[in-house]
Amino acid sequence: FEMTSQLHVEKFGTNLVAGPTGVNQANVSMYVEGFIDRFLERGDGLVVVTSGALALGQCIAAELGYEEGKLTNEQKSGMGFAPMFMAWQEEFARHNIAVATTGITPHQLGIGRWYHRIANRQERRLFASTIRQNSESKVVTILNEPDMVSNKELMALGRAADNDGSAAQVSIVVGADTFNIWTKNGGVYDDDKELVDTVDGINFHPTLRMLQSRGKSEAGRGGMDSKVRAARRPALHGISSRICAPNIGMEGVKVTRVVR
């Protein structure tokens, strides 16, 4: 399926879309308006890979009176999956833009041993074709790895952590032009709190070793090391990859480019 415009894959961390009381609708609204200005008004395609299902499920469980520890993370992720999609759907609908969603699994992403990839080749092609058809039809695709059924399998396969690795693989499968991971604090910073503006083949492993000594994000499960590892994979396929602060205009200095 041939695209006549560019296709962009944008991944959002939990801290950017959800908080202790539920969806951060103001943030989602800001991101949607920014994407309209940057991509959609000029006819480009957009795929949003969003975290936040677990955080929303935790809020829902608490509101409904479930005792702490009564539900597993997989159950709570399943509870928050639909509300997270609906938050994005509501904001795009304000601008008369349709959205579509699906839960992404190793089958669509072509992850696994060689015989799994061969067996699932048709499903992967259908997944990629549908997303690109969405883009040509001006339909925004919203994706969220369904932790309830596939997260442990994906993580065990070593494809980074949580939605970071999934989003990176999506960008490769659909042949995206750009891939951005949005985080609360922006790009990569060294131990002296200086921005690492570029991660390449020379400083990739030293940067990973530095980051692996740090903790995970407050709400999500993927640390900055997983984001660098994830962004590196599309870059090796020629996809422009960045780790960014939540500034939709991509202006300022809180951007780390990840290149070959």
Side-chain angles (χ1 to χ4, degrees):
F1 186 83
E2 295 296 329
M3 286 280 291
T4 58
S5 57
Q6 289 197 322
L7 178 58
H8 310 275
V9 175
E10 311 284 326
K11 189 270 176 180
F12 283 85
T14 298
N15 282 318
L16 298 181
V17 296
T21 60
V23 175
N24 190 328
Q25 201 70 35
N27 274 11
V28 175
S29 176
M30 179 181 67
Y31 306 145
V32 167
E33 291 179 1
F35 286 137
I36 291 171
D37 291 340
R38 289 178 57 214
F39 301 145
L40 302 181
E41 286 187 346
R42 70 186 191 191
D44 285 358
L46 175 63
V47 177
V48 175
V49 182
T50 179
S51 295
L54 174 58
L56 292 189
Q58 291 171 332
C59 293
I60 293 170
E63 290 175 0
L64 295 178
Y66 285 88
E67 296 179 3
E68 182 69 27
K70 183 70 174 180
L71 300 176
T72 65
N73 283 343
E74 287 76 16
Q75 288 175 301
K76 288 182 284 189
S77 293
M79 293 166 62
F81 186 92
M84 192 70 257
F85 166 74
M86 292 172 64
W88 288 97
Q89 182 183 47
E90 177 181 335
E91 294 305 324
F92 277 110
R94 294 181 191 275
H95 302 275
N96 298 315
I97 297 173
V99 300
T101 190
T102 182
I104 46 179
T105 72
H107 300 293
Q108 289 95 3
L109 300 182
I111 293 175
R113 297 184 182 275
W114 65 267
Y115 45 84
H116 292 147
R117 293 197 294 271
I118 292 176
N120 297 320
R121 187 175 294 164
Q122 183 175 359
E123 191 170 341
R124 173 175 171 166
R125 284 199 298 262
L126 176 61
F127 171 76
S129 175
T130 301
I131 286 185
R132 295 176 76 82
Q133 287 173 335
N134 282 349
S135 299
E136 285 290 289
S137 303
K138 314 310 177 191
V139 174
V140 174
T141 305
I142 310 293
L143 301 176
N144 189 334
E145 181 193 325
D147 294 3
M148 186 171 167
V149 295
S150 74
N151 186 54
K152 289 183 178 178
E153 182 177 1
L154 282 171
M155 293 178 71
L157 290 168
R159 298 292 187 178
D162 210 5
N163 277 304
D164 295 330
S166 301
Q169 186 68 8
V170 165
S171 71
I172 296 170
V173 169
V174 303
D177 295 280
T178 68
F179 173 61
N180 292 318
I181 298 179
W182 299 87
T183 71
K184 183 178 181 180
N185 297 317
V188 178
Y189 290 83
D190 63 22
D191 291 336
D192 295 322
K193 299 183 179 181
E194 295 291 330
L195 180 75
V196 180
D197 59 6
T198 303
V199 175
D200 55 23
I202 296 175
N203 67 349
F204 174 69
H205 290 292
T207 300
L208 276 188
R209 287 193 292 271
M210 173 188 69
L211 295 173
Q212 285 168 349
S213 64
R214 305 176 186 176
K216 303 297 182 183
S217 63
E218 297 172 11
R221 281 168 285 174
M224 185 59 76
D225 59 314
S226 78
K227 292 170 175 54
V228 171
R229 194 182 302 111
R232 173 77 167 156
R233 294 178 51 242
L236 293 175
H237 285 77
I239 298 170
S240 175
S241 301
R242 300 185 185 189
I243 301 172
C244 320
N247 180 338
I248 292 296
M250 299 287 284
E251 298 169 354
V253 296
K254 291 188 176 181
V255 175
T256 295
R257 296 187 308 119
V258 182
V259 301
R260 293 176 184 270

Coordinates of all heavy atoms in Angstrom, one line a residue, residues 121-187:
R121 N 2.9 -13.7 9.2 CA 3.3 -12.8 8.2 C 2.0 -12.1 7.6 O 2.0 -10.9 7.4 CB 4.1 -13.5 7.1 CG 4.7 -12.5 6.0 CD 5.5 -13.2 5.1 NE 6.7 -13.8 5.7 CZ 7.5 -14.7 5.2 NH1 7.2 -15.3 4.0 NH2 8.6 -15.1 5.9
Q122 N 1.0 -12.9 7.3 CA -0.2 -12.3 6.7 C -0.9 -11.4 7.7 O -1.4 -10.3 7.3 CB -1.2 -13.5 6.3 CG -2.4 -13.0 5.6 CD -3.3 -14.1 5.2 OE1 -3.0 -15.3 5.3 NE2 -4.4 -13.8 4.6
E123 N -0.9 -11.7 9.0 CA -1.5 -10.9 10.0 C -0.8 -9.5 10.1 O -1.4 -8.5 10.2 CB -1.6 -11.6 11.3 CG -2.5 -10.9 12.4 CD -2.7 -11.7 13.6 OE1 -2.5 -12.9 13.5 OE2 -3.1 -11.1 14.6
R124 N 0.5 -9.6 10.0 CA 1.4 -8.4 10.1 C 1.1 -7.5 8.9 O 1.0 -6.3 9.0 CB 2.8 -8.8 10.1 CG 3.8 -7.7 10.1 CD 5.2 -8.1 10.3 NE 6.2 -7.1 10.0 CZ 7.5 -7.1 10.3 NH1 7.9 -8.1 11.0 NH2 8.3 -6.1 10.0
R125 N 1.0 -8.1 7.7 CA 0.8 -7.3 6.5 C -0.6 -6.6 6.6 O -0.7 -5.5 6.2 CB 0.8 -8.2 5.2 CG 2.2 -8.6 4.8 CD 2.3 -9.1 3.4 NE 1.5 -10.2 3.2 CZ 2.0 -11.5 3.1 NH1 3.3 -11.7 3.3 NH2 1.2 -12.5 2.9
L126 N -1.6 -7.3 7.0 CA -2.9 -6.8 7.2 C -2.9 -5.6 8.2 O -3.5 -4.5 7.9 CB -3.9 -7.8 7.6 CG -5.4 -7.3 7.9 CD1 -6.0 -6.7 6.6 CD2 -6.2 -8.4 8.4
F127 N -2.2 -5.8 9.3 CA -2.1 -4.7 10.3 C -1.4 -3.5 9.7 O -2.0 -2.4 9.8 CB -1.2 -5.3 11.5 CG -0.8 -4.2 12.5 CD1 -1.7 -3.8 13.4 CD2 0.5 -3.7 12.5 CE1 -1.4 -2.8 14.3 CE2 0.8 -2.8 13.4 CZ -0.1 -2.3 14.4
A128 N -0.3 -3.6 9.0 CA 0.4 -2.5 8.4 C -0.5 -1.8 7.3 O -0.5 -0.6 7.3 CB 1.7 -3.0 7.8
S129 N -1.1 -2.6 6.5 CA -1.9 -2.1 5.4 C -3.1 -1.3 6.0 O -3.4 -0.2 5.5 CB -2.4 -3.2 4.5 OG -3.3 -2.7 3.5
T130 N -3.7 -1.8 7.0 CA -4.9 -1.1 7.6 C -4.5 0.2 8.2 O -5.2 1.2 8.0 CB -5.6 -2.0 8.7 OG1 -6.0 -3.2 8.1 CG2 -6.8 -1.3 9.3
I131 N -3.4 0.3 8.9 CA -2.9 1.5 9.5 C -2.6 2.5 8.4 O -3.0 3.7 8.5 CB -1.7 1.3 10.4 CG1 -2.2 0.6 11.7 CG2 -1.0 2.6 10.7 CD1 -1.1 0.4 12.7
R132 N -2.0 2.1 7.4 CA -1.6 3.1 6.3 C -2.9 3.5 5.5 O -3.0 4.7 5.1 CB -0.5 2.5 5.4 CG 0.8 2.2 6.1 CD 1.8 1.5 5.3 NE 2.4 2.5 4.3 CZ 3.4 3.3 4.6 NH1 3.9 3.4 5.8 NH2 3.9 4.1 3.6
Q133 N -3.9 2.6 5.4 CA -5.1 3.0 4.8 C -5.8 4.0 5.7 O -6.4 5.0 5.2 CB -6.0 1.8 4.6 CG -5.6 1.0 3.4 CD -6.3 -0.3 3.3 OE1 -6.9 -0.8 4.3 NE2 -6.4 -0.9 2.1
N134 N -5.7 3.8 7.0 CA -6.3 4.8 8.0 C -5.7 6.2 7.7 O -6.4 7.2 7.7 CB -6.0 4.4 9.4 CG -6.9 3.3 9.9 OD1 -7.9 3.0 9.3 ND2 -6.6 2.8 11.1
S135 N -4.4 6.2 7.6 CA -3.7 7.5 7.4 C -4.1 8.2 6.1 O -4.3 9.4 6.1 CB -2.1 7.2 7.4 OG -1.7 6.7 8.6
E136 N -4.2 7.4 5.0 CA -4.6 8.0 3.7 C -6.1 8.5 3.8 O -6.4 9.4 3.1 CB -4.5 6.9 2.6 CG -3.1 6.7 2.2 CD -2.5 7.8 1.4 OE1 -2.9 8.1 0.3 OE2 -1.6 8.5 2.0
S137 N -6.9 7.9 4.7 CA -8.3 8.3 4.9 C -8.5 9.3 5.9 O -9.6 9.7 6.3 CB -9.1 7.1 5.2 OG -9.0 6.0 4.2
K138 N -7.3 9.9 6.5 CA -7.4 10.9 7.5 C -8.0 10.4 8.8 O -8.7 11.1 9.5 CB -8.1 12.2 7.0 CG -7.7 12.6 5.6 CD -6.2 12.7 5.5 CE -5.8 13.1 4.1 NZ -4.3 13.0 3.8
V139 N -7.8 9.1 9.1 CA -8.2 8.5 10.3 C -7.0 8.3 11.2 O -6.0 7.7 10.7 CB -8.9 7.1 10.1 CG1 -9.2 6.4 11.4 CG2 -10.2 7.3 9.2
V140 N -7.0 8.8 12.4 CA -5.9 8.6 13.3 C -6.0 7.3 14.0 O -7.0 6.9 14.5 CB -5.9 9.8 14.4 CG1 -4.8 9.5 15.4 CG2 -5.6 11.1 13.7
T141 N -4.9 6.6 14.1 CA -4.9 5.3 14.7 C -4.3 5.4 16.2 O -3.2 6.0 16.3 CB -4.0 4.3 14.0 OG1 -4.4 4.1 12.6 CG2 -4.0 2.9 14.6
I142 N -5.1 4.9 17.1 CA -4.6 5.0 18.5 C -4.3 3.6 19.0 O -5.2 2.7 18.9 CB -5.7 5.6 19.5 CG1 -6.2 6.9 18.9 CG2 -5.2 5.7 20.9 CD1 -5.2 8.0 18.9
L143 N -3.1 3.3 19.4 CA -2.7 1.9 19.8 C -2.3 1.9 21.3 O -1.7 2.9 21.8 CB -1.6 1.5 19.0 CG -1.8 1.4 17.4 CD1 -0.5 1.0 16.7 CD2 -2.9 0.4 17.1
N144 N -2.5 0.8 21.9 CA -2.1 0.6 23.3 C -1.8 -0.9 23.4 O -2.7 -1.7 23.2 CB -3.1 1.0 24.3 CG -2.6 1.0 25.7 OD1 -1.7 0.3 26.1 ND2 -3.2 1.8 26.6
E145 N -0.6 -1.3 23.8 CA -0.3 -2.7 24.0 C -1.2 -3.2 25.1 O -1.2 -2.7 26.2 CB 1.2 -2.9 24.4 CG 1.6 -4.3 24.6 CD 2.9 -4.4 25.3 OE1 3.8 -3.6 25.1 OE2 3.0 -5.3 26.1
P146 N -2.0 -4.3 24.8 CA -2.9 -4.8 25.8 C -2.2 -5.6 26.9 O -2.0 -6.8 26.8 CB -3.9 -5.6 25.0 CG -3.1 -6.1 23.9 CD -2.1 -5.0 23.6
D147 N -1.8 -4.9 28.0 CA -1.0 -5.6 29.0 C -1.7 -6.8 29.6 O -1.1 -7.8 30.1 CB -0.8 -4.6 30.2 CG 0.2 -3.5 29.8 OD1 0.5 -3.4 28.6 OD2 0.5 -2.7 30.6
M148 N -3.1 -6.8 29.5 CA -3.9 -7.9 30.1 C -3.5 -9.3 29.4 O -3.6 -10.3 30.1 CB -5.3 -7.6 29.9 CG -6.3 -8.6 30.6 SD -8.0 -8.0 30.5 CE -8.9 -9.5 31.0
V149 N -3.1 -9.2 28.1 CA -2.8 -10.5 27.5 C -1.4 -10.6 26.9 O -1.0 -11.7 26.6 CB -3.8 -10.7 26.3 CG1 -5.2 -10.9 26.9 CG2 -3.8 -9.6 25.3
S150 N -0.7 -9.5 26.6 CA 0.5 -9.7 25.9 C 1.8 -9.0 26.5 O 2.9 -9.2 26.0 CB 0.4 -9.1 24.5 OG 0.3 -7.7 24.5
N151 N 1.6 -8.2 27.5 CA 2.8 -7.4 28.0 C 3.9 -8.3 28.4 O 5.1 -8.0 28.1 CB 2.4 -6.5 29.1 CG 3.5 -5.5 29.5 OD1 4.0 -4.9 28.7 ND2 3.8 -5.5 30.8
K152 N 3.7 -9.3 29.2 CA 4.7 -10.1 29.7 C 5.5 -10.9 28.6 O 6.7 -11.0 28.6 CB 4.2 -11.2 30.7 CG 3.7 -10.5 32.0 CD 3.2 -11.6 33.0 CE 2.9 -10.9 34.3 NZ 2.3 -11.9 35.3
E153 N 4.7 -11.3 27.6 CA 5.3 -11.9 26.4 C 6.2 -11.0 25.7 O 7.4 -11.3 25.3 CB 4.3 -12.5 25.5 CG 4.8 -13.2 24.3 CD 3.8 -13.9 23.4 OE1 2.6 -13.7 23.7 OE2 4.1 -14.5 22.4
L154 N 5.8 -9.8 25.5 CA 6.6 -8.8 24.7 C 7.9 -8.5 25.5 O 8.9 -8.4 25.0 CB 5.8 -7.5 24.5 CG 4.8 -7.6 23.3 CD1 3.9 -6.3 23.3 CD2 5.5 -7.7 22.0
M155 N 7.7 -8.3 26.8 CA 8.9 -7.9 27.6 C 9.9 -9.0 27.7 O 11.1 -8.8 27.6 CB 8.4 -7.5 29.0 CG 7.6 -6.2 29.1 SD 7.1 -5.7 30.7 CE 8.6 -5.3 31.5
A156 N 9.4 -10.3 27.7 CA 10.3 -11.4 27.8 C 11.1 -11.6 26.5 O 12.1 -12.2 26.5 CB 9.4 -12.7 28.0
L157 N 10.5 -11.0 25.4 CA 11.2 -11.1 24.1 C 12.3 -10.1 24.0 O 13.0 -10.0 22.9 CB 10.2 -11.0 23.0 CG 9.3 -12.2 22.8 CD1 8.2 -11.9 21.9 CD2 10.1 -13.4 22.4
G158 N 12.5 -9.3 25.0 CA 13.6 -8.3 25.0 C 13.4 -7.1 24.0 O 14.4 -6.6 23.6
R159 N 12.2 -6.8 23.8 CA 11.9 -5.7 22.9 C 11.7 -4.4 23.7 O 10.7 -3.7 23.5 CB 10.7 -6.0 22.0 CG 10.9 -7.2 21.1 CD 12.0 -6.9 20.0 NE 12.1 -8.0 19.1 CZ 12.9 -8.0 18.0 NH1 13.7 -7.0 17.8 NH2 12.9 -9.0 17.2
A160 N 12.6 -4.0 24.6 CA 12.5 -2.9 25.5 C 11.3 -3.2 26.4 O 11.0 -4.3 26.7 CB 12.2 -1.6 24.7
A161 N 10.8 -2.1 27.0 CA 9.8 -2.4 28.1 C 8.5 -1.7 27.8 O 8.5 -0.5 27.3 CB 10.3 -1.9 29.4
D162 N 7.4 -2.3 28.1 CA 6.1 -1.8 28.0 C 5.8 -1.2 26.6 O 6.2 -1.8 25.6 CB 5.9 -0.7 29.0 CG 4.5 -0.5 29.5 OD1 3.6 -1.3 29.1 OD2 4.2 0.4 30.3
N163 N 5.2 -0.1 26.4 CA 4.8 0.5 25.1 C 6.0 1.1 24.3 O 5.8 1.4 23.1 CB 3.7 1.5 25.2 CG 2.3 0.8 25.3 OD1 1.9 0.0 24.5 ND2 1.6 1.1 26.4
D164 N 7.1 1.3 25.0 CA 8.3 1.8 24.2 C 8.7 0.9 23.1 O 8.8 1.3 21.9 CB 9.4 2.1 25.2 CG 9.2 3.1 26.2 OD1 8.4 4.1 25.9 OD2 9.7 3.0 27.3
G165 N 8.9 -0.3 23.5 CA 9.3 -1.3 22.4 C 8.3 -1.6 21.4 O 8.5 -1.8 20.2
S166 N 7.0 -1.6 21.9 CA 5.9 -1.9 21.0 C 5.8 -0.8 20.0 O 5.6 -1.0 18.8 CB 4.6 -2.0 21.8 OG 4.7 -3.0 22.7
A167 N 5.9 0.5 20.4 CA 5.8 1.6 19.5 C 6.9 1.6 18.5 O 6.7 1.9 17.3 CB 5.8 2.9 20.3
A168 N 8.1 1.3 18.9 CA 9.2 1.2 18.0 C 9.0 0.2 16.9 O 9.2 0.5 15.8 CB 10.5 0.9 18.8
Q169 N 8.5 -1.0 17.3 CA 8.2 -2.0 16.4 C 7.1 -1.6 15.4 O 7.1 -1.9 14.2 CB 7.9 -3.3 17.1 CG 7.7 -4.5 16.1 CD 9.0 -4.9 15.5 OE1 10.1 -4.5 15.8 NE2 8.9 -5.9 14.5
V170 N 6.1 -0.9 15.9 CA 5.0 -0.4 15.1 C 5.6 0.5 14.0 O 5.2 0.4 12.8 CB 3.9 0.4 15.9 CG1 3.0 1.2 15.0 CG2 3.1 -0.6 16.7
S171 N 6.5 1.4 14.4 CA 7.0 2.3 13.4 C 7.8 1.6 12.3 O 7.7 2.0 11.1 CB 7.9 3.4 14.1 OG 9.1 2.8 14.5
I172 N 8.4 0.5 12.6 CA 9.1 -0.3 11.6 C 8.2 -1.1 10.7 O 8.3 -1.0 9.5 CB 10.1 -1.3 12.3 CG1 11.2 -0.5 13.1 CG2 10.7 -2.2 11.3 CD1 12.0 -1.4 14.0
V173 N 7.2 -1.7 11.3 CA 6.2 -2.5 10.6 C 5.4 -1.7 9.6 O 5.2 -2.1 8.4 CB 5.2 -3.2 11.5 CG1 4.1 -3.8 10.8 CG2 6.0 -4.3 12.3
V174 N 5.0 -0.4 10.0 CA 4.2 0.4 9.1 C 5.0 1.3 8.2 O 4.5 2.0 7.3 CB 3.2 1.2 9.9 CG1 2.3 0.4 10.7 CG2 3.9 2.3 10.7
G175 N 6.3 1.2 8.3 CA 7.2 2.1 7.5 C 7.1 3.5 7.7 O 7.0 4.3 6.8
A176 N 7.1 3.9 9.0 CA 6.9 5.3 9.4 C 8.1 6.2 8.9 O 9.2 5.7 8.7 CB 6.8 5.5 10.9
D177 N 7.8 7.5 8.8 CA 8.9 8.4 8.4 C 9.5 9.0 9.7 O 10.7 9.3 9.7 CB 8.3 9.6 7.6 CG 7.8 9.1 6.3 OD1 8.6 8.9 5.3 OD2 6.5 8.9 6.1
T178 N 8.7 9.2 10.7 CA 9.3 9.7 12.0 C 8.8 8.9 13.2 O 7.6 8.3 13.1 CB 9.0 11.2 12.2 OG1 7.6 11.3 12.5 CG2 9.4 12.0 11.0
F179 N 9.6 8.8 14.2 CA 9.2 8.1 15.5 C 9.6 9.0 16.6 O 10.8 9.3 16.8 CB 9.8 6.7 15.5 CG 9.6 6.0 16.9 CD1 8.3 5.7 17.3 CD2 10.6 5.7 17.6 CE1 8.1 5.1 18.5 CE2 10.5 5.0 18.9 CZ 9.2 4.7 19.3
N180 N 8.7 9.4 17.5 CA 9.0 10.2 18.6 C 8.5 9.5 19.9 O 7.3 9.1 19.9 CB 8.4 11.6 18.5 CG 9.0 12.4 17.4 OD1 10.2 12.4 17.3 ND2 8.2 13.1 16.7
I181 N 9.3 9.5 20.9 CA 8.9 9.1 22.3 C 8.8 10.3 23.1 O 9.8 11.0 23.3 CB 9.9 8.1 22.9 CG1 9.9 6.8 22.1 CG2 9.4 7.7 24.3 CD1 10.9 5.8 22.6
W182 N 7.6 10.6 23.6 CA 7.4 11.8 24.5 C 7.5 11.4 25.9 O 6.8 10.5 26.4 CB 6.0 12.4 24.2 CG 5.9 12.9 22.7 CD1 5.5 12.1 21.7 CD2 6.2 14.2 22.2 NE1 5.5 12.9 20.5 CE2 6.0 14.1 20.8 CE3 6.7 15.3 22.8 CZ2 6.2 15.2 20.0 CZ3 6.9 16.4 22.0 CH2 6.6 16.4 20.6
T183 N 8.2 12.2 26.7 CA 8.4 11.9 28.1 C 8.3 13.2 28.9 O 8.4 14.3 28.4 CB 9.8 11.3 28.4 OG1 10.8 12.3 28.3 CG2 10.1 10.1 27.5
K184 N 8.0 13.0 30.2 CA 7.8 14.2 31.1 C 9.0 15.1 31.1 O 8.8 16.4 31.1 CB 7.5 13.7 32.5 CG 7.1 14.8 33.5 CD 6.8 14.3 34.8 CE 6.4 15.4 35.8 NZ 6.1 14.8 37.1
N185 N 10.2 14.6 31.1 CA 11.4 15.4 31.3 C 12.2 15.6 30.0 O 13.3 16.2 30.0 CB 12.3 14.8 32.4 CG 11.7 14.7 33.7 OD1 11.0 15.7 34.1 ND2 11.8 13.6 34.4
G186 N 11.6 15.2 28.9 CA 12.3 15.4 27.6 C 13.4 14.4 27.3 O 13.2 13.2 27.6
G187 N 14.4 14.9 26.7 CA 15.5 14.0 26.2 C 16.3 13.4 27.3 O 16.0 13.3 28.4

